[in-house]
């Protein structure tokens, strides 16, 4: 089994980007955290990040065709991208929508998600620690 961890715009700047909101873990450290979770659990984990919506759409198509479960932090696209939603709707395995911050405690525009109603599960507010938890949940889900 392979878990694809997809990150949208600005998430490559983790560590320097608004550390009071997103913490001080760098994007490289986040990748290492996810890969370590994969090794601990015996599943392949691939982590990607893009600032380009079309690239994200293509990765979701790839995951749909391969039946890979996806952990998706779509960043700002969460709140307005019908294109990312339409691509995520085609997934053929589980989708975990993830946010580092608790979006519900933040500005009202972050309370809207175009993903939550098509996701298997939603995680928000656990910091980067949410990623290995999501990977663990997918890896240990009965039936896998
Ligand atoms: C985010 C929350 C979004 O509102 C924001 O646009 C992001 C990151 C989070 O991980 O908390 O880029 O998805």
């Amino acid at each position: 089994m392979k878990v694809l961890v997809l990150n949208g715009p600005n998430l490559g700047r983790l560590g320097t980007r608004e550390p009071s909101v997103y913490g001080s873990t760098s994007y490289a450290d986040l990748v290492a955290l996810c890969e370590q979770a994969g090794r601990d659990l015996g599943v392949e984990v691939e982590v990607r990040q893009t600032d380009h919506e079309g690239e994200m759409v293509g990765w979701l198509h790839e995951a749909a065709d391969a039946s890979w479960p996806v952990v998706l932090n779509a960043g700002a696209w969460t709140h307005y991208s019908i294109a990312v939603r339409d691509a995520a709707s085609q997934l053929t395995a589980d989708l975990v929508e993830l946010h580092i911050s608790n979006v519900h405690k933040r500005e009202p525009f972050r309370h809207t998600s175009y993903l939550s109603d098509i996701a298997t599960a939603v995680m928000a507010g656990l910091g980067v620690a949410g990623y290995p938890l999501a990977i663990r949940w997918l890896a240990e889900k009965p039936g896998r």
Side-chain angles (χ1 to χ4, degrees):
M1 174 191 150
K2 168 162 165 168
V3 176
L4 196 56
V5 179
L6 299 179
N7 294 286
N10 298 301
L11 288 160
R13 295 181 55 76
L14 274 182
T16 52
R17 174 195 186 193
E18 297 179 86
S20 60
V21 178
Y22 298 110
S24 53
T25 303
S26 68
Y27 178 72
D29 288 344
L30 172 69
V31 173
L33 194 68
C34 292
E35 289 175 349
Q36 185 59 50
R39 279 191 293 277
D40 292 346
L41 293 158
V43 295
E44 189 184 343
V45 172
E46 189 181 344
V47 188
R48 302 180 191 174
Q49 188 273 330
T50 183
D51 294 324
H52 301 280
E53 193 175 11
E55 187 164 39
M56 177 62 80
V57 167
W59 289 345
L60 288 164
H61 293 169
E62 189 185 340
D65 291 344
S67 281
W68 293 327
V70 172
V71 177
L72 175 59
N73 186 346
W77 292 327
T78 307
H79 312 303
Y80 68 86
S81 175
I82 298 170
V84 170
R85 176 202 169 84
D86 284 350
S89 294
Q90 298 171 49
L91 289 172
T92 47
D94 288 307
L95 168 65
V96 178
E97 174 188 350
L98 184 149
H99 302 285
I100 295 166
S101 65
N102 180 354
V103 284
H104 302 288
K105 267 196 350 198
R106 300 181 63 197
E107 304 96 317
F109 67 85
R110 294 185 206 276
H111 302 176
T112 297
S113 170
Y114 280 81
L115 298 171
S116 296
D117 67 307
I118 56 162
T120 313
V122 180
M123 301 174 75
L126 297 175
V128 294
Y131 286 80
L133 290 172
I135 293 165
R136 174 174 291 277
W137 182 78
L138 287 166
E140 293 181 347
K141 204 185 156 196
R144 278 206 203 289

